Structures are given as structure tokens and as C-alpha cells.
Amino acid sequence: MAFRNALTRVFRPQFQATRVREMSILSDLKDKVSEKLETRKNEKQTQAYGDQVNFLAHTPTYTLQDHYEQMKKQAADGGVSGWKSMVPGVSSMPQIQQMKNFLAIMEAFEPNARHDPKLINGKVKRVVSEKCGQPVEEINNMLRSYEQLNALRSWLRKRVERDLSLPTTLEDTTEMIREDPTGFPTRGMRPKKPRGSMPRRR
């Protein structure tokens, strides 16, 4: 027993040092894997953004139906539908929940309204609100997102016509818009309701 205790005292520090090295190696490996996953995620996001910019820049028209199709694609990629929606916690994320609301609103619109947004008036919104269970203000938020993307499409097409480069990231887009002497087309875009103001039917 004494001999065993002596061996334990001799080899225990070496054993502990080995454990420390193993933990360090595992930690480094975990960091490298996390870094690769983050890099891959960023690359996918950049690719997706570039694809959308290219699509908008070469699309003559952009209706609510087109916006609906884009939203469904983004929903599948982002976890609103498909297997990703089964991952715990994903469906409760604010962005995911808003996307679900927007999709429900889109599905409540009649096809002719999605193809011609000019047909959407206060009465149509109230009917859609009753069908999908979303307030009129949320419908306006969805329409505002469509108008903003349509305005971006117009701006991108002008850059193509002027033989200018297209942005590849959101940061590029923001900087190019800021430096563009022609400005960003905001005509026809509904203003965002100030926080705390009374809801207004439109």
C-alpha cells in the first residue's frame, strides 16, 4: 500500500499535466471548429445577399407576388419552415416570428392583390387582418418592407444602367447609397409610424 501511495504521488503530477494538455487541445479544437462554422455561416450570408442583389438588379418589375416568393425562400433558409423550424428555440426568435407574421399576411391576400399592390386599400387590409389575425399596422410593416426592397431594386437597376458596380454586402450597400449623388428612391414609400402614435387605418 505504501509503495502504491508513493507511485501515486510520483505520477499524479504527470497525469494532471497530461490532462491539462488534453483539455487545452480539446479547447483549441473546439475554437477552430466554431471559427470554421462562423466563417461558413458568414460566407453563406454573403452569397445569399449577393444573389438577392443580382436578382433585384436585373428584375424589370417586382410585385408583391415576387416578394412573397422571395420571403418563402428566405423562410426555408432561415428556419421558419422545413427541418430548421423543429430546432428548439428557433421558432421563438423575433426575426423568425416576424417572418411568420409576414408570410401569414401574404397568404391572406388575394392573388390579384399580390400581383397588383395598387389594389390594396384600407378595406382590403381590414379583410386580410381578419383572415390572418394580424393587426393592420403589421400589414403596413410588411408592405413597407416590400416597398423598401422595391426601392432598392430601382436603385440597383440604375447602377446597372450607369455601368456601376453592385454592392456585395449590406455594409457596401449602405456606403454606396450614402455616396450616390442621385440619392435613394423613396417616393411612394410609406413612412414608419412614430413610436407611441395612435394606429391609423390606411
Side-chain angles (χ1 to χ4, degrees), residues 28-50:
D28 290 343
L29 182 60
K30 181 180 178 181
D31 291 342
K32 289 179 180 179
V33 170
S34 298
E35 184 179 348
K36 286 184 178 180
L37 289 175
E38 186 65 24
T39 300
R40 188 176 302 173
K41 177 183 176 182
N42 292 336
E43 289 175 350
K44 285 185 177 180
Q45 289 178 342
T46 300
Q47 180 65 43
Y49 189 84

mmCIF file of all heavy atoms in Angstrom, residues 28-50:
data_model
loop_
_atom_site.group_PDB
_atom_site.id
_atom_site.type_symbol
_atom_site.label_atom_id
_atom_site.label_comp_id
_atom_site.label_asym_id
_atom_site.label_seq_id
_atom_site.Cartn_x
_atom_site.Cartn_y
_atom_site.Cartn_z
ATOM 1 N N ASP A 28 -8.746 24.098 -28.039
ATOM 2 C CA ASP A 28 -8.283 24.663 -29.310
ATOM 3 C C ASP A 28 -9.090 24.101 -30.476
ATOM 4 O O ASP A 28 -9.446 24.830 -31.412
ATOM 5 C CB ASP A 28 -6.794 24.357 -29.518
ATOM 6 C CG ASP A 28 -5.910 25.132 -28.555
ATOM 7 O OD1 ASP A 28 -6.404 26.113 -27.965
ATOM 8 O OD2 ASP A 28 -4.733 24.749 -28.391
ATOM 9 N N LEU A 29 -9.354 22.794 -30.419
ATOM 10 C CA LEU A 29 -10.120 22.150 -31.478
ATOM 11 C C LEU A 29 -11.536 22.719 -31.544
ATOM 12 O O LEU A 29 -12.064 22.993 -32.628
ATOM 13 C CB LEU A 29 -10.170 20.639 -31.234
ATOM 14 C CG LEU A 29 -10.899 19.795 -32.290
ATOM 15 C CD1 LEU A 29 -10.233 19.952 -33.648
ATOM 16 C CD2 LEU A 29 -10.922 18.329 -31.876
ATOM 17 N N LYS A 30 -12.134 22.924 -30.374
ATOM 18 C CA LYS A 30 -13.486 23.492 -30.314
ATOM 19 C C LYS A 30 -13.507 24.898 -30.899
ATOM 20 O O LYS A 30 -14.418 25.261 -31.649
ATOM 21 C CB LYS A 30 -13.964 23.516 -28.866
ATOM 22 C CG LYS A 30 -15.371 24.060 -28.695
ATOM 23 C CD LYS A 30 -15.775 24.045 -27.232
ATOM 24 C CE LYS A 30 -17.171 24.640 -27.060
ATOM 25 N NZ LYS A 30 -17.580 24.655 -25.630
ATOM 26 N N ASP A 31 -12.486 25.696 -30.562
ATOM 27 C CA ASP A 31 -12.406 27.065 -31.080
ATOM 28 C C ASP A 31 -12.264 27.065 -32.601
ATOM 29 O O ASP A 31 -12.875 27.890 -33.295
ATOM 30 C CB ASP A 31 -11.227 27.807 -30.451
ATOM 31 C CG ASP A 31 -11.453 28.099 -28.975
ATOM 32 O OD1 ASP A 31 -12.621 28.044 -28.539
ATOM 33 O OD2 ASP A 31 -10.462 28.360 -28.260
ATOM 34 N N LYS A 32 -11.446 26.140 -33.119
ATOM 35 C CA LYS A 32 -11.239 26.073 -34.565
ATOM 36 C C LYS A 32 -12.516 25.664 -35.288
ATOM 37 O O LYS A 32 -12.843 26.207 -36.345
ATOM 38 C CB LYS A 32 -10.110 25.091 -34.887
ATOM 39 C CG LYS A 32 -8.727 25.594 -34.498
ATOM 40 C CD LYS A 32 -7.650 24.571 -34.827
ATOM 41 C CE LYS A 32 -6.268 25.089 -34.423
ATOM 42 N NZ LYS A 32 -5.204 24.094 -34.705
ATOM 43 N N VAL A 33 -13.231 24.698 -34.710
ATOM 44 C CA VAL A 33 -14.492 24.258 -35.312
ATOM 45 C C VAL A 33 -15.510 25.398 -35.303
ATOM 46 O O VAL A 33 -16.194 25.654 -36.299
ATOM 47 C CB VAL A 33 -15.057 23.033 -34.562
ATOM 48 C CG1 VAL A 33 -16.473 22.727 -35.035
ATOM 49 C CG2 VAL A 33 -14.159 21.824 -34.773
ATOM 50 N N SER A 34 -15.597 26.109 -34.168
ATOM 51 C CA SER A 34 -16.529 27.235 -34.058
ATOM 52 C C SER A 34 -16.179 28.327 -35.063
ATOM 53 O O SER A 34 -17.063 28.925 -35.685
ATOM 54 C CB SER A 34 -16.504 27.809 -32.636
ATOM 55 O OG SER A 34 -16.928 26.846 -31.697
ATOM 56 N N GLU A 35 -14.883 28.567 -35.226
ATOM 57 C CA GLU A 35 -14.434 29.589 -36.172
ATOM 58 C C GLU A 35 -14.787 29.205 -37.602
ATOM 59 O O GLU A 35 -15.243 30.043 -38.393
ATOM 60 C CB GLU A 35 -12.926 29.782 -36.039
ATOM 61 C CG GLU A 35 -12.363 30.890 -36.918
ATOM 62 C CD GLU A 35 -10.867 31.075 -36.738
ATOM 63 O OE1 GLU A 35 -10.311 30.503 -35.769
ATOM 64 O OE2 GLU A 35 -10.256 31.778 -37.556
ATOM 65 N N LYS A 36 -14.598 27.921 -37.936
ATOM 66 C CA LYS A 36 -14.934 27.457 -39.279
ATOM 67 C C LYS A 36 -16.432 27.548 -39.538
ATOM 68 O O LYS A 36 -16.866 27.942 -40.630
ATOM 69 C CB LYS A 36 -14.456 26.012 -39.472
ATOM 70 C CG LYS A 36 -12.944 25.875 -39.635
ATOM 71 C CD LYS A 36 -12.555 24.435 -39.910
ATOM 72 C CE LYS A 36 -11.050 24.308 -40.124
ATOM 73 N NZ LYS A 36 -10.649 22.907 -40.392
ATOM 74 N N LEU A 37 -17.229 27.183 -38.530
ATOM 75 C CA LEU A 37 -18.682 27.255 -38.681
ATOM 76 C C LEU A 37 -19.140 28.698 -38.861
ATOM 77 O O LEU A 37 -20.024 28.984 -39.673
ATOM 78 C CB LEU A 37 -19.365 26.631 -37.459
ATOM 79 C CG LEU A 37 -19.258 25.111 -37.322
ATOM 80 C CD1 LEU A 37 -19.873 24.652 -36.008
ATOM 81 C CD2 LEU A 37 -19.937 24.407 -38.493
ATOM 82 N N GLU A 38 -18.541 29.612 -38.096
ATOM 83 C CA GLU A 38 -18.897 31.028 -38.204
ATOM 84 C C GLU A 38 -18.496 31.574 -39.569
ATOM 85 O O GLU A 38 -19.245 32.339 -40.191
ATOM 86 C CB GLU A 38 -18.202 31.819 -37.091
ATOM 87 C CG GLU A 38 -18.611 33.282 -37.018
ATOM 88 C CD GLU A 38 -20.061 33.473 -36.638
ATOM 89 O OE1 GLU A 38 -20.629 32.560 -36.001
ATOM 90 O OE2 GLU A 38 -20.629 34.529 -36.976
ATOM 91 N N THR A 39 -17.306 31.167 -40.040
ATOM 92 C CA THR A 39 -16.847 31.605 -41.360
ATOM 93 C C THR A 39 -17.774 31.093 -42.451
ATOM 94 O O THR A 39 -18.143 31.827 -43.375
ATOM 95 C CB THR A 39 -15.418 31.094 -41.624
ATOM 96 O OG1 THR A 39 -14.539 31.624 -40.626
ATOM 97 C CG2 THR A 39 -14.935 31.528 -42.999
ATOM 98 N N ARG A 40 -18.167 29.823 -42.335
ATOM 99 C CA ARG A 40 -19.073 29.237 -43.319
ATOM 100 C C ARG A 40 -20.425 29.935 -43.303
ATOM 101 O O ARG A 40 -21.017 30.192 -44.354
ATOM 102 C CB ARG A 40 -19.249 27.745 -43.029
ATOM 103 C CG ARG A 40 -20.012 26.985 -44.105
ATOM 104 C CD ARG A 40 -20.064 25.507 -43.779
ATOM 105 N NE ARG A 40 -18.729 24.938 -43.642
ATOM 106 C CZ ARG A 40 -18.502 23.700 -43.228
ATOM 107 N NH1 ARG A 40 -19.522 22.918 -42.885
ATOM 108 N NH2 ARG A 40 -17.267 23.244 -43.150
ATOM 109 N N LYS A 41 -20.901 30.272 -42.103
ATOM 110 C CA LYS A 41 -22.175 30.971 -41.970
ATOM 111 C C LYS A 41 -22.107 32.346 -42.632
ATOM 112 O O LYS A 41 -23.015 32.744 -43.369
ATOM 113 C CB LYS A 41 -22.532 31.124 -40.489
ATOM 114 C CG LYS A 41 -23.815 31.900 -40.233
ATOM 115 C CD LYS A 41 -24.050 32.065 -38.741
ATOM 116 C CE LYS A 41 -25.266 32.924 -38.465
ATOM 117 N NZ LYS A 41 -25.472 33.129 -36.995
ATOM 118 N N ASN A 42 -21.012 33.068 -42.385
ATOM 119 C CA ASN A 42 -20.841 34.399 -42.982
ATOM 120 C C ASN A 42 -20.743 34.313 -44.500
ATOM 121 O O ASN A 42 -21.277 35.169 -45.215
ATOM 122 C CB ASN A 42 -19.594 35.075 -42.410
ATOM 123 C CG ASN A 42 -19.745 35.433 -40.941
ATOM 124 O OD1 ASN A 42 -20.861 35.602 -40.454
ATOM 125 N ND2 ASN A 42 -18.633 35.544 -40.233
ATOM 126 N N GLU A 43 -20.050 33.280 -44.984
ATOM 127 C CA GLU A 43 -19.917 33.107 -46.429
ATOM 128 C C GLU A 43 -21.274 32.836 -47.070
ATOM 129 O O GLU A 43 -21.581 33.359 -48.145
ATOM 130 C CB GLU A 43 -18.951 31.957 -46.726
ATOM 131 C CG GLU A 43 -17.494 32.281 -46.418
ATOM 132 C CD GLU A 43 -16.585 31.082 -46.601
ATOM 133 O OE1 GLU A 43 -17.118 29.957 -46.789
ATOM 134 O OE2 GLU A 43 -15.353 31.254 -46.567
ATOM 135 N N LYS A 44 -22.094 32.028 -46.398
ATOM 136 C CA LYS A 44 -23.430 31.732 -46.923
ATOM 137 C C LYS A 44 -24.296 32.985 -46.938
ATOM 138 O O LYS A 44 -25.047 33.225 -47.892
ATOM 139 C CB LYS A 44 -24.098 30.642 -46.079
ATOM 140 C CG LYS A 44 -23.551 29.244 -46.323
ATOM 141 C CD LYS A 44 -24.338 28.211 -45.538
ATOM 142 C CE LYS A 44 -23.858 26.801 -45.837
ATOM 143 N NZ LYS A 44 -24.637 25.783 -45.073
ATOM 144 N N GLN A 45 -24.197 33.786 -45.876
ATOM 145 C CA GLN A 45 -24.982 35.014 -45.810
ATOM 146 C C GLN A 45 -24.553 35.996 -46.892
ATOM 147 O O GLN A 45 -25.391 36.644 -47.526
ATOM 148 C CB GLN A 45 -24.837 35.648 -44.425
ATOM 149 C CG GLN A 45 -25.539 34.879 -43.318
ATOM 150 C CD GLN A 45 -25.333 35.502 -41.948
ATOM 151 O OE1 GLN A 45 -24.418 36.299 -41.746
ATOM 152 N NE2 GLN A 45 -26.179 35.141 -41.000
ATOM 153 N N THR A 46 -23.236 36.093 -47.109
ATOM 154 C CA THR A 46 -22.721 36.979 -48.151
ATOM 155 C C THR A 46 -23.173 36.517 -49.527
ATOM 156 O O THR A 46 -23.577 37.326 -50.375
ATOM 157 C CB THR A 46 -21.181 37.032 -48.102
ATOM 158 O OG1 THR A 46 -20.767 37.520 -46.821
ATOM 159 C CG2 THR A 46 -20.629 37.945 -49.187
ATOM 160 N N GLN A 47 -23.127 35.203 -49.749
ATOM 161 C CA GLN A 47 -23.567 34.646 -51.022
ATOM 162 C C GLN A 47 -25.054 34.896 -51.242
ATOM 163 O O GLN A 47 -25.480 35.280 -52.339
ATOM 164 C CB GLN A 47 -23.283 33.140 -51.055
ATOM 165 C CG GLN A 47 -23.706 32.444 -52.349
ATOM 166 C CD GLN A 47 -22.925 32.932 -53.548
ATOM 167 O OE1 GLN A 47 -21.709 33.093 -53.465
ATOM 168 N NE2 GLN A 47 -23.605 33.170 -54.660
ATOM 169 N N ALA A 48 -25.848 34.694 -50.187
ATOM 170 C CA ALA A 48 -27.293 34.910 -50.289
ATOM 171 C C ALA A 48 -27.607 36.372 -50.578
ATOM 172 O O ALA A 48 -28.486 36.680 -51.392
ATOM 173 C CB ALA A 48 -27.984 34.464 -49.001
ATOM 174 N N TYR A 49 -26.877 37.274 -49.925
ATOM 175 C CA TYR A 49 -27.108 38.706 -50.149
ATOM 176 C C TYR A 49 -26.723 39.085 -51.576
ATOM 177 O O TYR A 49 -27.444 39.820 -52.254
ATOM 178 C CB TYR A 49 -26.297 39.536 -49.153
ATOM 179 C CG TYR A 49 -26.645 41.009 -49.176
ATOM 180 C CD1 TYR A 49 -27.727 41.490 -48.451
ATOM 181 C CD2 TYR A 49 -25.901 41.912 -49.934
ATOM 182 C CE1 TYR A 49 -28.065 42.836 -48.473
ATOM 183 C CE2 TYR A 49 -26.234 43.257 -49.969
ATOM 184 C CZ TYR A 49 -27.314 43.713 -49.232
ATOM 185 O OH TYR A 49 -27.654 45.044 -49.268
ATOM 186 N N GLY A 50 -25.592 38.561 -52.033
ATOM 187 C CA GLY A 50 -25.156 38.838 -53.399
ATOM 188 C C GLY A 50 -26.140 38.318 -54.430
ATOM 189 O O GLY A 50 -26.410 38.988 -55.436
#
